[in-house]
Amino acid sequence: MATEHSQRCCEELAAAGAIDKLLTLIRSVSRSIPDQEVLKHALSSLRNLARYPHLLDLLIQSNGSLQTILWELLRNKEDSYFIASELLMKISSTPKGVESLRKLPALVKRLHALVEELTRKAIYEKRNGRAASAVIKENRERRLKEAAGILKLITSA
């Protein structure tokens, strides 16, 4: 909560080494429900830190940060997906972030495969008139839109 409201709090946390600690925490969580809640809060803290350009640069420069965030986007389907997506959009909005993400071709390729899979599912639903619930359909469309947006930022120019 503090990182959501205070730039000074974010700067203090970053100075104390919170970015590396949060990344380590993210890498160590399991798929259990309590751990997924911890993951969501850790990603939210990183997202809040990334609102400030100088802290965003620190995040981009942190060892393994982009791999960790991109991996969480690829493996999650719930709230953590959208938080990781926001974080990657923020990172992709800077030239330094795009350059760093382009240095991860295997993960960018997996992101491309995710976009293709979500597109294929959307087309299949439309063609067959398959009755997916509105929430599932909306969630899938939102996931597709965000993943495609990130991929476009990374691959353009």
Side-chain angles (χ1 to χ4, degrees):
M1 289 295 285
T3 60
E4 189 173 352
H5 301 293
S6 168
Q7 178 177 349
R8 184 164 182 249
C9 184
C10 290
E11 290 169 346
E12 291 293 324
L13 282 172
I19 291 175
D20 289 331
K21 296 292 181 195
L22 288 169
L23 291 170
T24 301
L25 177 68
I26 290 169
R27 288 184 203 108
S28 68
V29 297
S30 71
R31 305 299 285 162
S32 70
I33 293 172
D35 276 9
Q36 290 303 300
E37 283 298 312
V38 169
L39 171 65
K40 186 168 72 171
H41 291 294
L43 285 170
S44 293
S45 294
L46 288 177
R47 178 187 59 198
N48 293 339
L49 291 173
R51 290 186 310 187
Y52 307 105
H54 61 292
L55 298 178
L56 179 60
D57 286 341
L58 278 176
L59 177 62
I60 292 169
Q61 294 170 3
S62 293
N63 188 27
S65 62
L66 300 180
Q67 294 95 322
T68 302
I69 296 165
L70 194 50
W71 182 250
E72 289 306 318
L73 176 87
L74 293 170
R75 79 178 220 182
N76 282 292
K77 294 183 179 171
E78 299 300 325
D79 295 337
S80 298
Y81 176 93
F82 296 110
I83 298 168
S85 171
E86 287 178 50
L87 193 49
L88 283 169
M89 285 294 250
K90 190 65 132 168
I91 290 167
S92 301
S93 68
T94 67
K96 191 177 201 176
V98 170
E99 181 182 323
S100 298
L101 285 167
R102 286 182 180 162
K103 292 178 182 176
L104 305 171
L107 291 174
V108 172
K109 185 176 180 181
R110 298 246 348 236
L111 178 60
H112 191 277
L114 174 66
V115 170
E116 287 179 349
E117 176 188 354
L118 292 170
T119 302
R120 190 173 52 251
K121 286 181 179 179
I123 291 169
Y124 178 78
E125 278 181 357
K126 285 180 184 176
R127 186 180 325 144
N128 293 333
R130 192 166 163 229
S133 75
V135 174
I136 292 172
K137 186 177 178 182
E138 181 181 322
N139 191 4
R140 186 176 294 133
E141 287 174 1
R142 182 175 169 210
R143 287 179 64 222
L144 173 59
K145 179 181 173 193
E146 294 198 14
I150 294 166
L151 188 61
K152 184 178 179 181
L153 287 170
I154 294 170
T155 57
S156 65

